């Protein structure tokens, strides 16, 4: 048997009606997916990252208009900035930076599926290679200028990439 919100279908039922209703459900799902993609692309065109904000930023919305946007996390942004400064000083290994992040209390974002935990090397590398922190973001294959407040400059980002690549060799 197949159970839907409106009806329960049994193998002995008329299969033409069931096929029609399942086809309508599929069409609704496809149309909804197109609308969601269009909305997310529109957000990106306006300079708003249409996904979960990285550590140091928060997703929020305007209660009057319902419009969603990204703001600086007043608690975590200074810690993220401090990590960037430590990396740019070129005095610490990635392992030491992981330890310093842990000592500062900087942890991953709590979500419904994952608990908060200490940042790993991979997590730090994700922060240090994310152009969002200097004001740009990638969405699909395009790069957009964000309207959020950057934590670092483009020059600092470029220097960080050089430091990270030299630490790999």
């Amino acid at each position: 048997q197949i159970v839907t919100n409106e009806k329960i279908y049994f193998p002995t039922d008329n299969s033409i009606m069931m096929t029609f209703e399942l086809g309508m459900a599929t069409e609704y799902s496809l149309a909804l997916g197109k609308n969601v993609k269009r909305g997310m692309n529109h957000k990106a065109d306006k300079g708003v990252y249409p996904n979960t904000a990285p550590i140091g930023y928060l997703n929020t919305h305007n209660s009057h208009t319902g419009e969603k946007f990204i703001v600086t996390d007043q608690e975590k942004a200074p810690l993220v900035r401090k990590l960037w400064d430590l990396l740019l000083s070129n005095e610490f290994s990635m392992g030491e930076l992981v330890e310093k992040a842990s000592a500062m209390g900087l942890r991953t974002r709590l979500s419904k599926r994952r608990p908060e935990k200490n940042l790993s090397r991979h997590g730090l590398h994700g922060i240090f290679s994310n152009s969002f922190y200097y004001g740009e973001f990638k969405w699909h294959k395009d790069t957009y200028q964000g309207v959020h407040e950057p934590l670092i400059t483009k020059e600092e980002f470029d220097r960080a990439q050089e430091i990270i690549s030299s630490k790999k060799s």
Side-chain angles (χ1 to χ4, degrees):
Q1 73 183 5
I2 298 175
V3 179
T4 68
N5 289 339
E6 290 83 28
K7 190 174 177 183
I8 298 175
Y9 296 95
F10 296 97
T12 57
D13 288 347
N14 185 346
S15 64
I16 293 173
M17 285 305 296
M18 184 176 73
T19 303
F20 175 74
E21 289 186 26
L22 293 176
M24 292 294 294
T26 301
E27 186 63 30
Y28 173 80
S29 180
L30 292 172
L32 182 62
K34 287 178 185 176
N35 285 337
V36 169
K37 285 179 185 176
R38 186 178 65 239
M40 293 177 90
N41 289 334
H42 179 68
K43 273 183 85 169
D45 289 338
K46 291 184 355 182
V48 178
Y49 186 54
N51 207 336
T52 304
I55 296 172
Y57 292 93
L58 295 172
N59 293 77
T60 188
H61 71 280
N62 183 325
S63 58
H64 297 293
T65 63
E67 187 175 16
K68 296 178 181 178
F69 53 97
I70 294 176
V71 295
T72 305
D73 182 344
Q74 298 303 315
E75 185 179 316
K76 290 187 177 181
L79 302 176
V80 173
R81 178 60 215 203
K82 177 71 173 166
L83 279 177
W84 278 94
D85 291 336
L86 292 172
L87 174 72
L88 293 169
S89 73
N90 204 10
E91 296 175 13
F92 303 98
S93 69
M94 288 301 272
E96 291 170 323
L97 291 173
V98 168
E99 291 173 9
K100 293 201 175 287
S102 178
M104 287 189 270
L106 190 59
R107 298 169 60 82
T108 61
R109 186 182 309 273
L110 176 68
S111 73
K112 292 178 184 176
R113 296 185 183 137
R114 281 183 244 122
E116 273 189 334
K117 59 183 181 177
N118 289 333
L119 288 171
S120 63
R121 284 177 187 250
H122 181 75
L124 270 186
H125 190 273
I127 289 173
F128 296 142
S129 61
N130 191 344
S131 62
F132 189 91
Y133 289 100
Y134 73 83
E136 288 185 357
F137 63 90
K138 293 188 186 322
W139 182 246
H140 296 294
K141 295 179 181 175
D142 298 321
T143 301
Y144 295 90
Q145 182 62 45
V147 294
H148 60 278
E149 179 184 341
L151 291 183
I152 61 168
T153 65
K154 172 77 165 105
E155 292 76 26
E156 289 172 322
F157 179 82
D158 292 339
R159 184 158 178 269
Q161 301 320 295
E162 292 171 9
I163 291 171
I164 289 171
S165 64
S166 70
K167 289 185 185 296
K168 286 182 182 177
S169 32

